Structures are given as C-alpha cells and as structure tokens.
Amino acid sequence: MLDTKEMDEILSILEEYPDQELAVLLLREFNDKTRELGLLLMNHDSSLSHGEWKTKCDQAQEDVNQVVKRIKAL
C-alpha cells in the first residue's frame, strides 16, 4: 500500500500533467487497482486458501506498482 506522502505525490503529478485526458485515465486505473488490492486485503475470501489469497494480493500489489511507475515517469 501507499503512504500519504506517496499518494500526495501521485495526485500532484496527475494534477499538473498537461494532458488531462491521459491524467484522468491514469487516475482511474490507479483507483481501480488500489481498490482491488484494498478489497483483497480487507475481505479475505474464506473460499481461497492462504496461498491463493497471497498470490492474488501479490499480483494486485504488482499491478498498483506498475501504475505508480507509469505515473511517476510522466
């Protein structure tokens, strides 16, 4: 997960980016990916084994990291 400082940095980059259409798309993707990760972390699906749950969490975290990396590269 991201701390408040990193979240502020990401939002600042997107707010200042001149291509607002791309900024909105990236913000939407960022929100979707962080939501997916948050849901996995907060609502452990009892039908998943711990290993399956961990794998899904790791993939969701990697998805968030990839979006953050793309935003920071702007």
Side-chain angles (χ1 to χ4, degrees), residues 16-34:
E16 295 172 10
Y17 194 65
D19 183 348
Q20 287 299 298
E21 193 172 318
L22 177 59
V24 168
L25 291 174
L26 286 169
L27 179 59
R28 182 176 295 133
E29 184 178 358
F30 175 76
N31 285 338
D32 290 344
K33 297 300 181 184
T34 55

Side-chain angles (χ1 to χ4, degrees), residues 31-69:
N31 285 338
D32 290 344
K33 297 300 181 184
T34 55
R35 181 179 182 275
E36 289 172 23
L37 177 59
L39 288 173
L40 278 167
L41 293 174
M42 299 304 285
N43 298 317
H44 184 159
D45 184 347
S46 60
S47 69
L48 296 174
S49 71
H50 178 73
E52 292 169 323
W53 174 80
K54 173 106 172 75
T55 299
K56 286 183 178 255
C57 286
D58 290 345
Q59 182 58 55
Q61 181 64 61
E62 182 57 31
D63 292 346
V64 169
N65 292 345
Q66 290 301 316
V67 174
V68 168
K69 201 180 289 185

Side-chain angles (χ1 to χ4, degrees), residues 9-20:
E9 177 186 359
I10 289 166
L11 293 176
S12 177
I13 291 168
L14 292 174
E15 285 175 357
E16 295 172 10
Y17 194 65
D19 183 348
Q20 287 299 298

